[in-house]
């Protein structure tokens, strides 16, 4: 037999089955010339467990079907535009995660770090005896912290991925989030408004460039020192012996200054100006790639009534053919029964390379820091929503597909339809038992066939007829010949197909799902958006009950009137130093201002909460509260002497009778 050590790169010599366990539990196939990395072998070396490096579960394959890959991994050319795009996508991904609430990060912070440290170029350096790599100068310590605590962002990444410019964006973004959380923990405001004193973009960027040795705690210590204290001695107390001069030299190089200020006050002032310039440059870079935030005049989602004319075929140099059904549009169905507001938003690239929809959800989006192509389109829905067959067909395969960070294993469900094979991916493994089918079973258009997993989406892939497995596409490998682009097919379903809505009713030509209307009595669109954005900034990580309670606090302040709080909902939300997400120096503000219905699932839930409260369709669950504070900060001064605690919901305590 062939002994293959862990970490060895291998290549398949022939197409063969892969298994969940050695020799049993068939989980698809590996094709000839497909590459992977060895994880382990059975004691007799008959089977080898391999990892494809794409976050799919590692599988077992017969060792005889593998050989050592003699070719080194192909070098990838650094693309600054691609780097900026990934910064934007990762920042949005982090901000959509409920677990990060109430903190946000801004892509500008990551881009500015790269501009400051390396002029956004891959390079190597050292500081304090530790190597710094890539355009973001990521240290092994910072990357290790990300791999340890950065789930689910870190899933599928390994220690050696630190050198990948696109991969390390996740590590730097996660550090930015950790710094923001540290600031919130260290600098709770004692003000009567009980708002956390949010760090500015400059402060966060300064914490980033100072590195792991002097993170948020270090910066807070520097700021607490006497302003006229010598900078060298201040750093000397915060760093291991002998490292202060090296760090000061780096700061001088980064700032491009002839001399560093000698005092703490001078350093913070001078270097703050440098960081501000780089943040402005980062802002321009991002605007060039994404364009300015859209002006929202009507928060309702528009209906997609015809096929877009500017859908791009991708990749440009050799486009993947579009998939299509050999069936009448009248006989087709949208693939999921859901009430998700973004259910029919089909993410795609236009002919001018503008992204429509969710970053990272379109066909051929980056995965694993640019090492893998996303070969499907993610269709948004909710966990436990029912998946239905788009057309008449036959089930041809069902196997383990993707394991979520919490350990949930999702499955690929391949159905052969006339003209195309569809993978209704990332469904729950109980589908055959619940919906009473087996491989080889015939299905009818609109027939329930599975349930959506905790990923809260269908990973929708399409292949040529005759396909009975899925294909991954690593950037270094040739395009899978059987792969088809599902984007136009999904758009056709959105425009022309039938859709089963929750409750079982069937509608024809539904277009995109609309957000709740905002034309109710005395409810202005600006009030609706201001309230929804405030809920998102303050409570997106809370339950819907907790979000509604925050909305009720706003409405209770409106009832009190303009002498204390404001005349309108928008006035109350934007009142100075009342809701920290709207503070002028808060990095959250620019993120929140750009939000609009359909931006992400969490914001759509906040829109729903705002709509329910504005229309009076739910009661005041806050106990007529006008104030609240988060349980993870110290009790604010306004609680005493006579504020009345009304209720605790999630991580917020609510109060009335506050002076």
């Amino acid at each position: 037999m062939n002994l293959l050590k862990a970490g060895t790169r291998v290549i398949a010599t022939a197409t063969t089955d892969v298994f969940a366990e050695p020799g049993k539990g068939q989980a698809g196939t590996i094709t000839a010339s497909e590459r992977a990395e060895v994880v382990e072998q059975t004691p007799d070396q008959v089977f080898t467990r391999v990892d494809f490096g794409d976050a799919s579960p590692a599988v077992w394959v017969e060792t005889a079907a593998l050989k050592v890959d003699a070719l080194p991994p192909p070098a990838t050319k650094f693309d600054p535009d691609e780097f900026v795009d990934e910064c934007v996508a990762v920042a949005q991904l982090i901000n959509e995660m409920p677990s990060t609430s109430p903190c946000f990060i801004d892509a500008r912070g990551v881009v500015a770090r790269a501009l400051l440290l390396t002029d956004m170029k891959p390079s190597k350096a050292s500081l304090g005896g530790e190597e710094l790599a890539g355009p973001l100068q990521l240290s092994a310590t910072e990357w290790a912290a990300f791999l340890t605590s950065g789930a689910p962002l870190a899933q599928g990444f390994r220690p050696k991925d630190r050198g990948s410019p696109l991969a390390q964006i996740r590590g730097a973004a996660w550090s930015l989030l950790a710094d923001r959380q540290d600031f919130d923990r260290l600098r709770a405001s004692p003000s009567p408004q009980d708002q956390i004193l949010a760090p500015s973009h400059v402060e966060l960027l300064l914490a980033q460039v100072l590195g792991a040795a002097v993170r948020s705690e270090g910066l807070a210590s520097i700021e607490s020192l006497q302003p006229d204290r010598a900078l060298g001695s201040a750093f000397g107390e915060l760093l291991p012996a002998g490292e202060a001069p090296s760090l000061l030299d780096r700061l001088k190089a980064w700032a491009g200054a002839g001399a560093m200020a000698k005092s703490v006050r001078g350093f913070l002032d001078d270097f703050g100006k440098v960081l501000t310039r780089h943040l402005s440059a980062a802002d321009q870079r991002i605007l060039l790639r994404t364009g300015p935030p859209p002006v929202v005049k009507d928060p309702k989602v528009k209906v997609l009534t015809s096929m877009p004319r500017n859908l791009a075929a991708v990749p440009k140099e050799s486009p993947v053919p579009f998939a299509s059904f050999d069936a009448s549009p009248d006989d087709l169905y949208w693939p999921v029964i859901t009430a998700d507001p973004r259910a029919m938003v089909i993410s795609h690239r236009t002919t001018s390379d503008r992204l429509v929809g969710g970053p990272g959800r379109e066909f051929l989006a980056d995965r694993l820091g640019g090492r893998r192509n996303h070969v499907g389109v993610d269709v948004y829905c909710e966990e436990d929503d029912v998946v239905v067959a788009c057309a008449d067909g036959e089930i041809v395969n069902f196997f383990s597909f993707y394991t979520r960070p919490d350990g949930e294993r999702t499955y690929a469900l391949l159905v052969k339809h006339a003209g195309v094979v569809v993978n209704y991916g990332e469904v729950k493994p109980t589908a055959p038992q619940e919906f009473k089918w087996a491989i080889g079973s015939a299905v009818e258009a609109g027939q329930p066939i599975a349930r959506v997993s905790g990923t809260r989406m269908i990973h929708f892939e399409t292949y040529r007829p005759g396909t009975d497995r899925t294909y991954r596409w690593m950037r270094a490998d040739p395009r899978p010949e059987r792969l088809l682009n599902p984007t136009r097919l999904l758009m056709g379903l959105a425009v022309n197909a039938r859709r089963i809505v929750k409750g079982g009713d069937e509608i024809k030509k539904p277009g995109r799902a609309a957000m709740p209307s905002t034309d109710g009595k005395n409810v202005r669109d600006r009030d609706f958006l201001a309230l929804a954005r405030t809920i998102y900034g303050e409570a997106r990580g809370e339950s819907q009950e907790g979000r509604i309670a925050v909305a009720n606090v706003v409405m209770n302040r409106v009832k009190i009137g303009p002498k204390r709080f404001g005349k309108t909902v928008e006035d109350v939300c934007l009142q100075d130093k009342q809701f920290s997400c709207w503070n002028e120096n808060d990095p959250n503000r620019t993120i929140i201002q750009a939000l609009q219905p359909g931006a992400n699932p969490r914001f759509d839930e906040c829109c729903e909460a705002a709509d329910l409260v504005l229309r009076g369709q739910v009661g005041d669950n806050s106990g007529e509260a006008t104030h609240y504070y988060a349980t993870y900060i110290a009790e604010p001064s306004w609680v005493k002497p006579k504020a009345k605690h009304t209720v605790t919901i999630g991580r917020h305590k609510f109060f009335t009778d506050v002076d």
Side-chain angles (χ1 to χ4, degrees):
M1 286 296 141
N2 186 12
L3 175 62
L4 298 173
K5 295 182 179 180
T8 302
R9 286 173 53 83
V10 292
I11 187 170
T13 58
T15 299
T16 188
D17 291 338
V18 297
F19 304 93
E21 301 293 339
K24 58 183 180 180
Q26 199 266 345
T29 56
I30 184 172
T31 57
S33 300
E34 193 166 2
R35 290 175 166 82
E37 184 175 293
V38 172
V39 177
E40 59 181 322
Q41 281 189 303
T42 56
D44 59 8
Q45 301 170 21
V46 173
F47 286 92
T48 299
R49 191 166 177 241
V50 297
D51 179 10
F52 294 103
D54 60 356
S56 63
V59 294
W60 292 91
V61 62
E62 290 187 59
T63 306
L66 303 173
K67 68 176 182 179
V68 175
D69 186 2
L71 296 177
T76 55
K77 184 178 180 181
F78 178 70
D79 183 341
D81 289 339
E82 187 179 33
F83 182 86
V84 172
D85 290 345
E86 183 72 3
C87 289
V88 173
V90 169
Q92 180 163 344
L93 180 63
I94 289 176
N95 293 336
E96 289 180 15
M97 295 165 56
S99 60
T100 63
S101 177
C103 297
F104 291 82
I105 67 164
D106 193 324
R108 289 188 298 170
V110 184
V111 175
R113 172 174 168 173
L115 289 171
L116 174 70
L117 302 186
T118 64
D119 196 25
M120 203 186 294
K121 297 174 182 176
S123 63
K124 290 185 178 181
S126 63
L127 179 62
E130 189 168 27
E131 180 193 43
L132 306 176
L136 289 162
Q137 296 289 274
L138 212 70
S139 69
T141 300
E142 189 175 0
W143 183 248
F146 166 64
L147 295 181
T148 301
S149 60
L153 281 182
Q155 182 167 351
F157 290 89
R158 298 158 294 182
K160 64 183 181 181
D161 293 326
R162 176 173 66 100
S164 166
L166 296 184
Q168 66 174 219
I169 289 170
R170 296 192 172 215
W174 191 258
S175 294
L176 190 64
L177 176 68
D179 288 339
R180 173 60 200 269
Q181 291 170 332
D182 283 344
F183 270 111
D184 284 357
R185 175 172 55 81
L186 291 164
R187 301 172 62 186
S189 169
S191 69
Q193 291 79 22
D194 174 41
Q195 298 305 326
I196 294 171
L197 181 60
S200 68
H201 287 96
V202 171
E203 290 172 318
L204 284 172
L205 183 54
L206 180 56
Q208 287 271 288
V209 300
L210 289 179
V214 187
R215 281 237 170 264
S216 305
E217 291 88 344
L219 181 57
S221 298
I222 291 174
E223 290 183 315
S224 69
L225 295 173
Q226 295 179 359
D228 295 325
R229 181 166 179 189
L231 184 63
S233 63
F235 275 123
E237 291 183 357
L238 297 168
L239 291 168
E243 289 191 13
S246 176
L247 178 59
L248 290 173
D249 286 344
R250 292 284 291 173
L251 291 172
K252 179 180 177 181
W254 289 333
M260 287 294 295
K262 295 182 179 180
S263 68
V264 171
R265 186 204 308 273
F267 165 73
L268 292 175
D269 288 346
D270 293 349
F271 207 61
K273 294 175 183 177
V274 174
L275 299 181
T276 299
R277 290 200 302 271
H278 283 87
L279 282 165
S280 178
D283 199 28
Q284 293 302 312
R285 289 271 192 147
I286 292 172
L287 283 175
L288 286 173
R289 298 297 300 163
T290 64
V295 177
V296 182
K297 297 181 180 179
D298 183 350
K300 291 181 289 186
V301 175
K302 303 300 182 183
V303 174
L304 182 63
T305 57
S306 61
M307 293 291 289
R309 297 180 180 180
N310 62 345
L311 171 63
V314 292
K316 291 181 180 179
E317 59 275 10
S318 180
V320 177
F322 286 108
S324 63
F325 287 112
D326 290 342
S328 168
D330 291 334
D331 297 329
L332 300 175
Y333 282 77
W334 186 251
V336 65
I337 303 172
T338 185
D340 190 300
R342 283 205 307 175
M344 305 179 76
V345 176
I346 299 127
S347 302
H348 65 280
R349 291 277 176 183
T350 68
T351 50
S352 60
D353 200 32
R354 294 289 300 275
L355 175 65
V356 176
R361 304 306 174 189
E362 76 277 16
F363 184 66
L364 299 194
D366 285 335
R367 287 293 185 272
L368 286 185
R371 291 191 286 124
R372 177 172 68 85
N373 286 314
H374 182 235
V375 295
V377 173
D378 292 335
V379 177
Y380 286 96
C381 39
E382 296 294 334
E383 184 173 2
D384 286 325
D385 282 344
V386 173
V387 179
V388 302
C390 293
D392 293 345
E394 176 187 331
I395 294 174
V396 296
N397 211 343
F398 186 65
F399 54 87
S400 178
F401 186 63
Y402 168 73
T403 302
R404 295 182 61 227
D406 63 4
E408 181 189 17
R409 177 165 288 189
T410 71
Y411 273 61
L413 172 56
L414 273 69
V415 180
K416 175 178 67 176
H417 301 292
V420 65
V421 173
V422 174
N423 173 25
Y424 301 84
E426 301 186 16
V427 300
K428 293 195 170 183
T430 54
Q433 295 79 23
E434 180 178 0
F435 297 99
K436 303 185 186 314
W437 52 256
I439 294 176
S441 295
V443 294
E444 297 180 354
Q447 176 181 329
I449 54 176
R451 283 195 186 274
V452 176
S453 70
T455 60
R456 303 174 69 183
M457 66 182 183
I458 300 172
H459 176 73
F460 196 93
E461 298 178 352
T462 48
Y463 296 95
R464 296 182 186 277
T467 304
D468 62 0
R469 54 154 294 190
T470 58
Y471 291 81
R472 60 182 57 81
W473 185 4
M474 304 303 287
R475 287 278 173 91
D477 296 337
R479 183 183 85 201
E481 290 300 320
R482 290 188 170 274
L483 181 66
L484 298 173
N485 183 343
T487 311
R488 183 177 289 170
L489 180 150
L490 284 167
M491 287 181 171
L493 293 177
V495 173
N496 298 307
R498 299 176 184 275
R499 180 184 178 202
I500 303 171
V501 297
K502 290 229 171 173
D505 295 331
E506 188 175 296
I507 57 176
K508 185 72 173 64
K509 295 185 179 180
R512 285 168 54 178
M515 286 300 300
S517 171
T518 60
D519 56 3
K521 185 178 180 180
N522 297 325
V523 177
R524 298 183 300 139
D525 288 350
R526 290 178 63 179
D527 283 343
F528 167 77
L529 282 173
L531 183 58
R533 289 165 175 169
T534 301
I535 296 169
Y536 186 83
E538 297 284 315
R540 75 182 189 281
E542 298 295 306
S543 65
Q544 197 70 337
E545 181 186 11
R547 296 169 184 150
I548 288 171
V550 168
N552 277 316
V553 167
V554 173
M555 300 307 292
N556 290 333
R557 292 186 175 197
V558 173
K559 292 175 185 177
I560 291 174
K563 288 186 178 180
R564 184 173 180 187
F565 292 114
K567 183 178 181 180
T568 68
V569 171
E570 184 183 32
D571 292 341
V572 169
C573 291
L574 301 184
Q575 188 178 14
D576 187 41
K577 295 181 181 178
Q578 292 299 308
F579 297 99
S580 62
C581 60
W582 292 108
N583 289 348
E584 286 290 343
N585 70 333
D586 194 322
N588 297 351
R589 186 182 176 101
T590 56
I591 296 170
I592 291 174
Q593 282 179 317
L595 287 171
Q596 57 183 307
N600 64 66
R602 296 289 80 72
F603 183 60
D604 291 339
E605 291 168 358
C606 295
C607 288
E608 179 184 359
D611 184 68
L612 290 172
V613 172
L614 286 169
R615 292 181 178 281
Q617 294 180 355
V618 291
D620 183 357
N621 63 342
S622 74
E624 300 183 351
T626 56
H627 291 70
Y628 61 88
Y629 76 88
T631 56
Y632 51 83
I633 67 171
E635 183 179 275
S637 58
W638 54 256
V639 172
K640 298 175 181 179
K642 65 175 186 176
K644 179 183 176 183
H645 176 219
T646 59
V647 67
T648 298
I649 302 176
R651 298 186 296 173
H652 287 143
K653 285 187 173 183
F654 294 83
F655 294 82
T656 188
D657 297 336
V658 177
D659 290 335

